[in-house]
Amino acid sequence: MHTGKKRLLYLLKIFYNTDIQHPRTAFSLCMTLRAYGIDTCLRTIGSDVAALREAGYPIAVHPQRSKGYYLARHALGGEELRLLCDMAAAAPYLPLADTRKLLKKLEALASPTAVKTAQRGRVMDTVRKPAEGALSHTLALLNAAILRGLRVCFRCDGLMVGAQGGQSCVISPYYTAARDGQYYVLGNLEGRDDLSAFRLADMRAPVLSPLPIRPYREVTPLCDPRFYPAEYLRAAVGLCHGPSVTLSLLCRAEARDVIAAQFGAITRKPAKEGYFRVEADVFCGPALYGWLLQHADVLTVLGPAQVRDGVKLRLLASLAALEAEKT
């Protein structure tokens, strides 16, 4: 590389580590360049700084001229760096080693002062972060599948927490989204004519399928741009939020497919003729009550009382709303 071009590139690299509180004098710049093996002098530094300014780089002279030069603007400001670093540090799907690499990349885009400020108040959630990148791998694979228009095969522990065993699933993925610290893929589960939401934490051994995805408009009338993943998640994955309880159900024989779709390969215990019982750890909340009422013709809640009372209140509220509409 031409000596002049090489010198400018190294000089620019040095300026990325400066700001008004960390300027560099011409002598300091000259010594650093010589340490890189680049021959230069004080007179050359001045002309190189002028060339970088002419090229559009915001290199300023410190108010106290004897302190030298600094880069007046960086790609990331202090608040932007703090926000992005906090998000990376808190992301539960990003492994610890990958988090640290990402933080280094972000810090390289900000001023030294902004980096020190961001590091001073940073809290790394090392407990929630996985040692390996299982969730990170799954998220990357799903995004690749969406980009290439391919289906994904995986085993799922069930749509609700605590499902036993696992189901072999094939999904046509359309969106990945996050809600309340959980990550989801929204798509069409093979054999159905609607959208499904799966937690990435429940997906096991995902692989790309050579089959193309099912066209989105065949699955749902919620076509782009009227479909908002956040709105859908609010309604669809409410079953995955709330206090954890052990749900006990008495189910009619025809509820077998409903239970399998919701809980996976859960153990069914025999009950009176034409019925079976199941128990599963679920998240208790309004969405669970709505799901139970939706299938009230084939499911009976045996416990706990918290869920029975919640379903009762939900039913009474619905009846009151109907009465209000009549009047």
Side-chain angles (χ1 to χ4, degrees), residues 48-76:
D48 287 344
V49 169
L52 289 174
R53 283 176 170 174
E54 188 177 345
Y57 292 96
I59 297 172
V61 178
H62 196 275
Q64 300 178 26
R65 295 184 65 87
S66 61
K67 290 188 175 182
Y69 308 95
Y70 65 95
L71 191 65
R73 292 191 309 276
H74 290 258
L76 290 179

Side-chain angles (χ1 to χ4, degrees), residues 29-102:
L29 293 170
C30 186
M31 291 298 100
T32 303
L33 287 173
R34 287 179 180 177
Y36 284 130
I38 300 173
D39 190 26
T40 187
C41 63
L42 294 178
R43 185 179 59 186
T44 307
I45 293 296
S47 61
D48 287 344
V49 169
L52 289 174
R53 283 176 170 174
E54 188 177 345
Y57 292 96
I59 297 172
V61 178
H62 196 275
Q64 300 178 26
R65 295 184 65 87
S66 61
K67 290 188 175 182
Y69 308 95
Y70 65 95
L71 191 65
R73 292 191 309 276
H74 290 258
L76 290 179
E79 292 301 321
E80 293 170 323
L81 177 67
R82 182 65 179 269
L83 173 64
L84 292 173
C85 286
D86 285 350
M87 290 172 65
Y93 75 89
L94 198 61
L96 197 57
D98 290 350
T99 301
R100 288 181 174 137
K101 290 179 183 177
L102 178 57

